[in-house]
Every structure is written in C-alpha cells, then in structure tokens.
Amino acid sequence: MREDVDRRHNARMRLLRELLEVPGLRAVEVLAGDPAAVRVRSVSLIERLADLRLVPPAGMAVLGAQATADARSYRLDVALREMAASGVAGLVLTGAAAPDRVPATVTGVAARADVAVLRAATEPLADLVVSFTAALAGGADEQLRVVEAARAALAGLEGADSDSPVADARQIAAEVLGRPVEHNREYGAAPELVQVRVLAANEPLGVFAVATSSVADQVTARLVLTLAAATAGRLVAAHRQREDVPVRSRSAVLGELLVASGDRLSRLVSAARDVGVPIDGWHEVVRIELDGPAPDREFDELTRFGTLESARRLGLQVARAHGRTWNVGQVDGALVLVGTGRYDPGTSGRQDTAAIAGRVLERLAELVPPDVQWCGVGTPHEGSTGLLASAAEARTALAKGRVTGRAGAVTMYDVTGLGRMLVDWYASDSARDAVRTLLRPLDELDPSRAESAVETLHVYLDERGSTSRAGERLHLHRNAVSYRVRWITELLGVDLDDPDQRLALQLACRARLLR
C-alpha cells in the first residue's frame, strides 16, 4: 500500500532535467546538483532568505533580488543544508546578484543530497515562475487560458494608476479564478490553501490565499496569485516612491534640525520652511525607539534600516489619520513624529497626542513585538526652539519609560519639577553653547568614552561626591570612580570645590543627557 502511495506521489513530479528543456527555461544555468537526479513538484517565489523554510518538499525556490543577494558564502551553504534536510528540490538565484559559480561546499552538499542550485540572470521573476509552473503542469490548455486572462487583466491595472493596487489585484485574481481570494496578514495553516506573499520593495503587504481542490487547480491558482502579487507589489512600490520624495525631504531636514544649533540651526529652520515643515506653530514631539528582537532572530543593519523605513511610513500614516499636521524624521536611530498646530493644544491636546502615539505603537507591533518598543511624548512648545524643547522632553520621557519598564506603552513628559525647567533652559542657544563650551574637552574624545565620562561625572555630582554610592550606581569600585573623576576634572580644568563650577557642571551633565 505504501509503495502505491509513493508511486502516485512521484508521478506528479517531473525531473529537473526535463523542466530545463522547456523553451522558457533553457536560459537557466545549473550551478550545482544533477538535474537528472532532482525531482520537482512545485515552485515558490521567495523574497526573503528566511522564507525558504516555507518551501514544501520537492519544491523549487525562485529567489528574488534581496534573497539572492543574501544567499552568499556560508548563508548559501547553510540554506542548502536545511533545504536538503526538508526534502526541497533546490533554488534559483536570479538577477544581477546571481553568482557565476558557487563554493565547493555547496557543490558537495548538492551532489550528496540531490539538491540543485540554478542561476537565471536575465529572466523576469514573474515570467520565470510562470515558466516553471507551466512546465510542471504539462501545459494544459485551460490552465494557460486562465493565466493569460489574468496577465491581460493585470496589465490593464498597471496602466490605470490604481489607488488600491493590492485590493484591485486581489479582485482580478478572484474573478479570473472564479472564487474568493483572501488578503491575509500572514500565512494560514490550511493545507488546501494556495498562498503567495505580496511584497513592495521587500516589505511584506500580506498574503494572497485561495482554496483549491486538486493538484492541477493548485498549479493554476499559484500562477495567477503570483502574477497578482507581483503586480500589486510593483504598483505599491511605484506609488510610494512618487509620494515619498517630499516626505523624505521633510524627514531629512527635520532629522538634521533636531540635532542642530547656532548658525546651522538658523539655516535649517529656513530650509525646513522651504520644504513645507510648519516651523512657526505649536509642536508636540513623539519619540519612538525600537530595540532589536529576541536574540534568536536575525536583526542586522539592513534589517534594522528596513524596519525603521517601514516604521516611518506606518507611523506617519497613523498620525495623519487623526488630524493636525504631522511630519516624521529619524534621529540617532529613533523615529521622531512631530505634530504641529496653529494654537497651544492644551491638556486635551496632550491626551489626543498620547492616544495617537498609542495607536502608532499598535501598528508597529506588525513589525516588532511590543516588548522592544519605547515611546516618549513631549509637551507643546511654540516655534523652532519649542520644537527642540519638545524633542528633548520626549527623549527624557522615553528614558524614564525604559527605567520604569514601560515597554510598548506611551510615557508622557512630567510637566512639573526640575526636568521641565532644565529642558526650557537648554532649549536656548546660549545655554547649549555654554554646555558645549564647558564639556568640549570630553566631546573631543571618542563617542563611547565621552558618554561614559559625562555619565560618571553626572552620577558622582548627583551623589554629592560619594564615591561609594556613585560606584554602586555605575557598577564600579569606588577607587575606579575616584580615578575617573580625577582625570575628567583635570581634562576639563575645573575645581569641584568651587560651588559655582560644581553647579555649572551638574547642569551641563543633566542637559547633555537630555539629548
């Protein structure tokens, strides 16, 4: 009985050697593996290397540009070993990033495990997937008719400048297939579903899914959904690129403005007005920082950049849906949303801003879990100096949220006490110049030593010169604290026995830590 099941199972497969003889696949090169020993049942389009785990047994994975670029050296070796363990047939490297040859380790794994590594440097992804799927299906007339109808309808969508390309592409796929096509957030678990991820410039936009009843039906559905997803992703990316130019201009100027001072601040205020940032109103700043995910998940600089870009778009989209004028910038890896109005929003306005910030965090949970989200909100201030003041308050509120463990929640700036007075003082050019002059010798050190020196001096002064208590807070021996304070004061040329110099240093350190 088992042999009969296996025989029927294998009958639905085709040798890779046979597939590569189909006209649409003759340009595909074999980099590793024996096409005469590899059997293929399905084909999947993969835009992220991590999604290789989703490829079913005997499936051929066609890697998009980003996945191909990531499949280098040891990563390709590891991916191939994992695919071999899962019974995956192989992968196709595509585009300009596809290498001419692969390492000997990859060749060895492919030969031992009957896994293939292919290269298609010039074939468009959608056409390549269509060619593979059609070759697997055996070219049935009905399947080709359905796919051609989908291609023609989707081509018309590209020329229509659609306002909702994902919804429109899903609708076309549903009409062509004659059944509902779902647009879900993630992959479902139902085995009868054919599912294809929708991506715009490597950013996930959900998954198209449709129920099927037979192997031939699955092939047709996957072809149509692949075409629909590719069209939707391409149109969304193009639409975003057109809209993103003015947003990016404002974002870049705003990011520089929030860390500027002196003459440069004056120039950037003019530049901000030129690109449409309403400098002269009342501003409230929301600062959001996203830590890396759990240690067992990859989060390199490319991933971090992509996450911040997605967070920037999502944050601005959510904020602008709730009134006022909103702009967004990035400062030191943090997302900074600036809400601006003509008048002081008052207490009710602060509550509205807190609610908007909470909704932004809810949407950002689509990108990163709440336990790595940190959010601080400043109070309303007027004009360019007010913008800087609210930004400093938001940073202080966020730092307080970290200390008190308020991950995934909004922390409002406390409008009472020394913190507010200090922020108002530090928002002035003269105060920032005084702090910069006093701490300049430390700023000339490398950034990590400068930050450590300011923190040490701040804690030592706050503890009223007690090296024991300062050591406990800094996790240092009191002798180490004494040594650090001695070389810091010598470097700054100050006398801590002078009460005026001591107070100036304490204010300077507290103000510096607001940045």
Side-chain angles (χ1 to χ4, degrees), residues 412-490:
M412 303 295 291
Y413 180 74
D414 184 4
V415 297
T416 62
L418 177 62
R420 176 65 182 262
M421 295 171 57
L422 185 62
V423 167
D424 288 342
W425 169 72
Y426 191 55
S428 69
D429 289 340
S430 59
R432 288 198 301 277
D433 288 341
V435 170
R436 191 162 47 249
T437 300
L438 185 58
L439 299 182
R440 180 173 290 121
L442 297 182
D443 291 337
E444 292 174 353
L445 303 171
D446 65 79
S448 61
R449 290 191 68 197
E451 183 179 355
S452 174
V454 172
E455 177 68 15
T456 300
L457 189 56
H458 160 65
V459 171
Y460 176 77
L461 293 173
D462 272 11
E463 295 297 341
R464 290 181 259 182
S466 170
T467 56
S468 298
R469 291 195 299 271
E472 289 177 5
R473 286 179 57 183
L474 294 167
H475 305 291
L476 294 172
H477 191 274
R478 64 180 185 179
N479 291 341
V481 175
S482 297
Y483 171 77
R484 285 192 182 185
V485 171
R486 187 164 54 252
W487 77 257
I488 290 170
T489 53
E490 289 175 357

Side-chain angles (χ1 to χ4, degrees), residues 350 377 379 393 396-397 400 411-417 419-420:
R350 291 198 70 211
V377 179
T379 62
E393 290 175 350
T396 301
K400 180 180 178 182
T411 303
M412 303 295 291
Y413 180 74
D414 184 4
V415 297
T416 62
R420 176 65 182 262

Side-chain angles (χ1 to χ4, degrees), residues 16 62 67 125 173 179 228 261 283 285 376 429 437 440 442 465 497:
L16 178 59
V62 177
L125 285 183
R179 76 200 72 168
S261 60
H283 309 287
V285 173
D429 289 340
T437 300
R440 180 173 290 121
L442 297 182
D497 292 329

Side-chain angles (χ1 to χ4, degrees), residues 203-204 290 297 299 306-312 314 363-369 373:
E203 180 184 336
L290 305 176
R297 289 196 294 165
F299 199 64
T307 301
L308 283 174
E309 283 293 287
S310 298
R312 178 181 65 82
L314 275 178
R363 286 297 305 277
L364 293 184
E366 300 173 11
L367 303 175
V368 294
Q373 300 176 2

Side-chain angles (χ1 to χ4, degrees), residues 96-391:
D100 294 324
R101 59 181 61 86
V102 293
T105 53
V106 171
T107 304
V109 172
R112 290 192 300 272
D114 288 339
V115 179
V117 179
L118 309 177
R119 175 178 183 269
T122 58
E123 190 76 18
L125 285 183
D127 290 349
L128 186 63
V129 173
V130 168
S131 296
F132 260 113
T133 311
L136 285 168
D141 291 342
E142 180 61 20
Q143 290 174 330
L144 293 179
R145 185 192 66 77
V146 173
V147 172
E148 183 55 36
R151 188 197 296 272
L154 291 166
L157 180 63
E158 293 202 51
D161 193 20
S162 170
D163 292 330
S164 305
V166 176
D168 291 344
R170 182 196 62 79
Q171 182 62 31
I172 288 174
E175 291 174 357
V176 169
L177 292 173
R179 76 200 72 168
V181 172
E182 299 175 357
H183 179 209
N184 302 324
R185 180 173 294 183
E186 280 297 340
Y187 285 102
E192 70 276 7
L193 288 179
V194 170
Q195 304 177 85
V196 175
R197 188 182 291 277
V198 186
L199 295 148
N202 295 322
E203 180 184 336
L205 300 177
V207 176
F208 284 162
V210 65
T212 56
S213 57
S214 67
V215 174
D217 197 20
Q218 291 174 6
V219 172
T220 306
R222 187 168 297 279
L223 276 166
V224 171
L225 293 192
T226 297
L227 288 171
T231 301
R234 192 161 52 249
L235 290 176
V236 169
H239 180 71
R240 284 179 175 174
Q241 188 173 20
R242 290 193 299 271
E243 285 194 336
D244 218 20
V245 173
V247 172
R248 283 183 177 276
S249 298
R250 290 191 289 270
S251 177
V253 172
L254 187 58
E256 292 185 61
L257 180 63
L258 291 173
V259 295
S261 60
D263 293 339
R264 178 169 173 75
L265 176 61
S266 299
R267 291 195 300 271
L268 285 170
V269 166
S270 298
R273 289 194 181 100
D274 290 342
V275 296
V277 178
I279 290 295
D280 301 312
W282 283 78
H283 309 287
E284 278 184 284
V285 173
V286 177
R287 182 185 179 97
I288 298 173
E289 295 179 5
L290 305 176
D291 293 343
D296 60 341
R297 289 196 294 165
E298 183 180 358
F299 199 64
D300 54 23
E301 285 306 311
L302 184 61
T303 306
R304 178 180 296 277
F305 175 80
T307 301
L308 283 174
E309 283 293 287
S310 298
R312 178 181 65 82
R313 283 193 291 269
L314 275 178
L316 193 58
Q317 177 187 352
V318 173
R320 286 183 170 176
H322 294 86
R324 279 192 289 175
T325 298
W326 286 89
N327 285 287
V328 63
Q330 290 184 25
V331 180
D332 299 330
L335 186 71
V336 178
L337 287 161
V338 180
T340 306
R342 295 178 61 185
Y343 308 103
D344 184 349
T347 303
S348 62
R350 291 198 70 211
Q351 294 171 348
D352 290 343
T353 301
I356 292 170
R359 293 188 187 101
V360 171
L361 294 184
E362 290 175 3
R363 286 297 305 277
L364 293 184
E366 300 173 11
L367 303 175
V368 294
D371 60 357
V372 298
Q373 300 176 2
W374 305 94
C375 177
V377 179
T379 62
H381 292 271
E382 188 176 15
S384 59
T385 57
L387 172 61
L388 298 179
S390 188

